[in-house]
Amino acid sequence: MLMLVTPTAPPSSSPDLDLEKASQAMAQACQNDPICSSFVGMLDNATWAPLVASGVTIVLILVLAFVVRNITHRIITRVVNRAASSGSIAHRFRKGAAPDGIDVLLHERRKQRAETMGSVLKHVASIVILGTAVLTVLDRLTIPIAPLLTSVGILGVAIGFGAQELVKDFIAGMFMLLEDQYGVGDVIDAGAAVGTVEAVTLRVTRLRDADGRVWYVRNGTITRVGNESQGWSRAYVDVPVPYDSDVASVRELLEGVAEKIWADTELRESKIVEEPQVVGVEQLSDSSLVFRISAKTLPSAQAEVSRELRLRVKSALDSAGIALVGSA
């Protein structure tokens, strides 16, 4: 006699069973945690106590993470403010004091660099602290984090290989900021472009050249930088006079021009760092003698000082009846 056997479907887990297993897992994890187990004891070891204690522990973990994050940000801000308000650099100059303008300018450079580094450190601290808190919460919820960490590691390696140029740009930007190679307002030669720095980030540097063209230069592609605005600059003016001119008289005339410029209070306080010097005869030919006047100036002020020197030299030579030969 044949008997028909109807196949039965395998038993499926019900939501109540899954919830019960999750509750048991959380209760087991709570027992291994002294803080969570203390909350369970405070709740008289009730059946629902592990769930409530786990929830309270998770909230405490998140609150603690945000508190630590805020404290870290405050410490970074304090360090940044201290770095941005470091002492005067007047002692670097020969006369013992520098114009107030150079201190103000370098203070702004320090402030910009410190604020940029502070922003980077704050982002790194937030990622580390909050990332650790999230992983701790997932572990508290009995969610296995080992596969997650493995996946993140593999993803990081893949991104590292696929974005090598981006990583190179960021690393170059970090060292550029730490070494204070240039800042906003500096006139630099970055190889690919020459111009005034308008913005500096960890990835790119934005320049504007003399024609008004804006250049975006990736930090990783900059192999050398010529900074015309760091610390101080130097203005040169060459004065060609006839070959038969009296050297002592011309030198005395030019030294008088240098003394008058140094005596100009407005120029001394806003543009010139040290008294201009008459170097002497810089070039000699069969038709002319070329004298040179040199002046140490504030960063990027050399062009203005050179123009002022030329005007005063021209006026002095005209008064003395000495003609210029060729062009300086």
Side-chain angles (χ1 to χ4, degrees), residues 73-85 114 121:
H73 282 197
R74 289 188 178 184
I75 294 174
I76 293 174
T77 300
R78 183 173 299 179
V79 172
V80 165
N81 292 337
R82 183 174 299 177
S85 59
L121 292 176

Side-chain angles (χ1 to χ4, degrees), residues 134-179:
V134 169
L135 292 177
T136 305
V137 169
L138 292 178
D139 183 63
R140 177 64 54 195
L141 295 174
T142 67
I143 298 175
I145 61 175
L148 178 61
L149 294 176
T150 303
S151 301
V152 171
I154 295 174
L155 181 62
V157 172
I159 293 176
F161 277 109
Q164 295 183 42
E165 296 297 329
L166 184 62
V167 174
K168 180 181 178 182
D169 294 340
F170 273 92
I171 293 176
M174 285 286 294
F175 279 102
M176 181 271 296
L177 290 172
L178 287 173
E179 296 170 1

Side-chain angles (χ1 to χ4, degrees), residues 13-138:
S13 58
S14 64
D16 294 338
L17 185 59
D18 293 339
L19 182 59
E20 183 179 354
K21 290 182 178 179
S23 300
Q24 292 176 356
M26 291 181 66
Q28 183 64 31
C30 187
Q31 291 178 358
N32 298 328
D33 188 340
I35 297 178
C36 186
S37 58
S38 299
F39 281 116
V40 172
M42 294 171 60
L43 298 173
D44 297 330
N45 295 316
T47 305
W48 45 266
L51 295 178
V52 176
S54 297
V56 173
T57 305
I58 290 173
V59 172
L60 288 178
I61 291 173
L62 294 177
V63 171
L64 180 62
F66 279 102
V67 170
V68 173
R69 173 180 172 271
N70 291 338
I71 293 175
T72 305
H73 282 197
R74 289 188 178 184
I75 294 174
I76 293 174
T77 300
R78 183 173 299 179
V79 172
V80 165
N81 292 337
R82 183 174 299 177
S85 59
S86 56
S88 170
I89 49 80
H91 62 279
R92 299 182 188 178
F93 296 92
R94 188 174 62 190
K95 298 299 181 180
D100 294 337
I102 194 166
D103 268 335
V104 173
L105 181 62
L106 293 184
H107 172 72
E108 288 300 319
R109 286 177 56 84
R110 289 192 300 267
K111 183 178 179 181
Q112 291 169 2
R113 182 174 56 144
E115 288 179 350
T116 303
M117 293 305 301
S119 176
V120 173
L121 292 176
K122 286 180 181 179
H123 282 88
V124 172
S126 296
I127 292 173
V128 172
I129 296 172
L130 296 182
T132 303
V134 169
L135 292 177
T136 305
V137 169
L138 292 178

Side-chain angles (χ1 to χ4, degrees), residues 99-101 264-272 298:
D100 294 337
D264 189 323
T265 306
E266 183 179 354
L267 285 174
R268 190 172 67 247
E269 292 181 352
S270 61
K271 293 182 177 63
I272 302 179
L298 289 177

